[in-house]
């Protein structure tokens, strides 16, 4: 029995009829760029997330870039973000005109905290980008408090955390990822929890002016064709992607439930294995497990053992951003961000996609137990 890290086919098979109908609707209309499908997705996403504004764009990368560009950075302005994230978080900030400044993470959750962000803060900091890594939100209350004190924008990187939520101190129930900060960035890359049939992204905002500016920047800086108030770019979401995503969105919470059940199985089956450290969920957090990422002794040997047994796994991320060659000039050195660097050496992500099923999760558990010499 093979266990892939991810298999997208069963999700398509389950929704094939509805998806094919939606695609046909777009093809028949021949309206491929923005238009009613994208507007429909924007309002459905805004309603789902409980946020007033949502603007579709070409990718998750651009969903980070556009709200940062909207700050009109001066040379030398900085954005603080974790070094333990996908490259896009930093690449987008760089391309928006900022200097990315990398901070460390909380080893328990792999996320930034007020303290780790504060350690990297300077008087040039214009924005912070907490990344809700692997599907769990960073502690937003303390992060927002810090940003408020210092007058910086909070942009949530929600690429891995669509549908994640967190209790806050308002007493009004949990807040969704992307509805907590000043703006949120979502990705519809096929491997994310809500994946399209290609690239796509979305910016959320609680601020009407920011949303309006992002909506202009995505179409060359003007709402009216051939009238340009600022220099933007082409970062439009296409109607085919929006149509597919609108079919999938109503199923997102069911898929999150299945991912969480799989996480429960892993916890039950690996609880006594002292060589692995299972992911921790912070109190008040609803984790949506885009990845189920543990820390493992002899990680690379375990990964090879799993591969030999036909089990897929992933290392997110092997090299921290402060040590990437392209950011050499930013002065990153080994030893600078110890928890990030340790995570890069220890993490391993296991199959958790909704359709993986109990039998295959149990197979993964059995192979991990066997590797460390535990009874199955
Ligand atoms: C996937 C991802 C992105 C970028 O999204 P794309 O749609 O691939 O451009 C940004 N940040 C994080 C944390 C991601 O996982």
């Amino acid at each position: 029995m093979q266990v892939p890290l991810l298999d997208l086919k069963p999700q398509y098979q389950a929704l094939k009829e509805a998806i094919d109908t939606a695609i046909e609707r777009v093809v028949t209309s021949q309206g491929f760029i923005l238009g009613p499908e994208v507007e429909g997705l924007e309002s459905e996403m805004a309603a789902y997330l409980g946020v007033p504004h949502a603007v579709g764009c070409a990718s998750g990368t651009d969903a980070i870039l556009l709200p940062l560009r909207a700050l009109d950075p001066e040379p030398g302005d900085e954005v603080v973000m974790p070094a333990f994230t996908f490259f896009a978080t930093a690449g987008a900030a760089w391309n928006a005109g900022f200097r990315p400044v990398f901070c460390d993470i909380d080893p328990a959750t792999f996320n930034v905290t007020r303290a780790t962000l504060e350690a990297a803060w300077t008087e040039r900091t214009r924005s912070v980008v907490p990344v809700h890594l692997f599907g769990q939100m960073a502690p937003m209350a303390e992060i927002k408090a810090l940003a408020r004190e210092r007058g910086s924008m909070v942009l949530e990187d929600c690429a891995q955390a669509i549908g994640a939520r967190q209790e806050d101190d308002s007493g009004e129930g949990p807040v969704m990822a992307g509805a907590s900060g000043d703006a949120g960035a979502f990705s519809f890359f096929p491997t994310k929890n809500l994946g399209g049939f290609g690239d796509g992204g979305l910016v959320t905002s609680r601020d009407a002016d920011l949303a309006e500016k992002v909506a202009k920047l995505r179409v060359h800086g003007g709402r009216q064709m051939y009238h340009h108030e600022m220099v933007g770019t082409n970062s439009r979401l296409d109607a085919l992607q929006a149509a597919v995503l609108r079919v999938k969105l109503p199923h997102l919470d069911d898929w999150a439930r299945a991912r969480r059940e799989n996480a429960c199985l892993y916890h039950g089956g690996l609880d006594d294995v002292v060589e692995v450290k299972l992911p921790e969920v912070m109190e008040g957090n609803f984790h949506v497990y885009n990845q189920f990422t543990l820390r493992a002794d002899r990680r690379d040997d375990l990964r090879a053992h799993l591969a030999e047994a036909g089990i897929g796994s992933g290392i997110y991320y092997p090299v921290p951003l402060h040590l990437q060659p392209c950011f050499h000039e930013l002065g990153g050195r080994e030893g600078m961000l110890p928890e990030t660097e340790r995570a890069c050496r220890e993490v391993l992500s296991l199959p958790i996609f909704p359709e993986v099923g109990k039998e295959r999760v149990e197979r993964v558990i059995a192979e991990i137990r066997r590797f460390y010499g535990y009874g199955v």
Side-chain angles (χ1 to χ4, degrees):
M1 184 181 18
Q2 300 277 313
V3 190
L5 180 59
L6 175 65
D7 181 5
L8 296 170
K9 286 184 214 88
Q11 192 181 84
Y12 173 56
Q13 273 144 19
L15 299 174
K16 185 174 182 339
E17 221 174 295
I19 288 175
D20 291 356
T21 303
I23 290 174
E24 205 186 316
R25 186 171 72 226
V26 175
V27 173
T28 304
S29 78
Q30 291 287 298
F32 292 116
I33 302 291
L34 298 175
E37 294 288 351
V38 172
E39 282 162 25
L41 177 70
E42 288 170 343
S43 59
E44 286 152 21
M45 279 286 292
Y48 173 74
L49 297 171
V51 67
H53 308 284
V55 182
C57 64
S59 67
T61 303
D62 278 0
I64 299 165
L65 186 147
L66 296 171
L68 291 176
R69 174 81 63 80
L71 292 177
D72 295 321
E74 306 278 336
D77 281 355
E78 296 174 354
V79 176
V80 181
M81 65 182 62
F84 193 60
T85 176
F86 180 54
F87 180 79
T89 318
W94 178 280
N95 285 327
F98 284 94
R99 181 186 162 91
V101 176
F102 299 114
C103 73
D104 215 348
I105 50 166
D106 172 3
T109 61
F110 303 113
N111 275 329
V112 297
T113 63
R114 175 185 172 121
T116 68
L117 290 169
E118 207 165 2
W121 211 284
T122 76
E123 70 273 15
R124 300 300 307 268
T125 304
R126 299 276 315 276
S127 176
V128 289
V129 185
V131 178
H132 303 321
L133 204 68
F134 303 142
Q136 167 165 230
M137 287 176 71
M140 289 303 293
E142 62 183 52
I143 291 169
K144 284 194 287 183
L146 174 69
R148 210 174 307 121
E149 285 162 26
R150 315 252 173 125
S152 299
M153 179 176 86
V154 180
L155 169 60
E156 299 172 73
D157 182 340
C158 307
Q160 300 181 8
I162 186 168
R165 53 206 86 159
Q166 187 170 73
E167 298 290 343
D168 72 358
D169 38 19
S170 70
E172 285 168 21
V175 179
M176 303 288 278
S180 182
D182 299 299
F186 290 86
S187 166
F188 302 124
F189 187 75
T191 65
K192 311 293 181 176
N193 285 19
L194 181 63
F197 286 2
D199 279 309
L202 184 114
V203 178
T204 54
S205 179
R206 294 187 298 140
D207 174 352
D209 294 338
L210 178 60
E212 176 69 15
K213 197 160 177 187
V214 166
K216 283 178 187 161
L217 287 170
R218 81 171 164 181
V219 284
H220 297 297
R223 277 286 210 184
Q224 197 190 343
M225 283 267 260
Y226 313 115
H227 296 262
H228 306 277
E229 301 154 47
M230 56 191 93
V231 178
T233 184
N234 168 8
S235 184
R236 298 173 296 228
L237 180 61
D238 65 73
L240 281 168
Q241 298 308 332
V244 169
L245 293 164
R246 292 178 77 190
V247 174
K248 289 189 172 195
L249 179 58
H251 301 277
L252 183 60
D253 283 343
D254 285 340
W255 295 331
R257 197 170 310 125
R259 287 174 182 273
R260 289 165 57 83
E261 280 166 15
N262 295 335
C264 258
L265 292 174
Y266 280 124
H267 274 273
L270 295 171
D271 208 25
D272 58 326
V273 178
V274 297
E275 289 85 353
V276 302
K277 198 173 168 309
L278 299 168
E280 276 181 48
V281 182
M282 207 177 69
E283 205 189 315
N285 261 356
F286 182 89
H287 196 321
V288 294
Y289 293 103
N290 180 243
Q291 300 295 344
F292 185 86
T293 303
L294 46 70
R295 293 174 187 266
D297 282 359
R298 295 188 284 133
R299 189 261 321 263
D300 295 334
D301 292 343
L302 171 62
R303 184 160 196 241
H305 172 84
L306 293 175
E308 225 160 273
I311 295 167
S313 64
I315 297 175
Y316 309 115
Y317 297 91
V319 181
L321 296 187
H322 67 295
L323 300 180
Q324 294 290 347
C326 65
F327 292 137
H328 186 73
E329 68 190 84
L330 298 176
R333 276 178 289 101
E334 215 165 317
M336 230 174 198
L337 301 173
E339 288 303 341
T340 297
E341 293 165 32
R342 185 161 73 88
C344 291
R345 290 191 298 268
E346 296 180 353
V347 288
L348 191 67
S349 298
L350 301 178
I352 187 93
F353 60 99
E355 300 83 3
V356 66
K358 188 165 184 230
E359 207 189 337
R360 288 192 288 183
V361 170
E362 280 171 354
R363 172 88 221 290
V364 179
I365 292 168
E367 283 304 332
I368 294 173
R369 297 185 68 87
R370 207 185 321 275
F371 175 76
Y372 289 115
Y374 286 76
V376 175

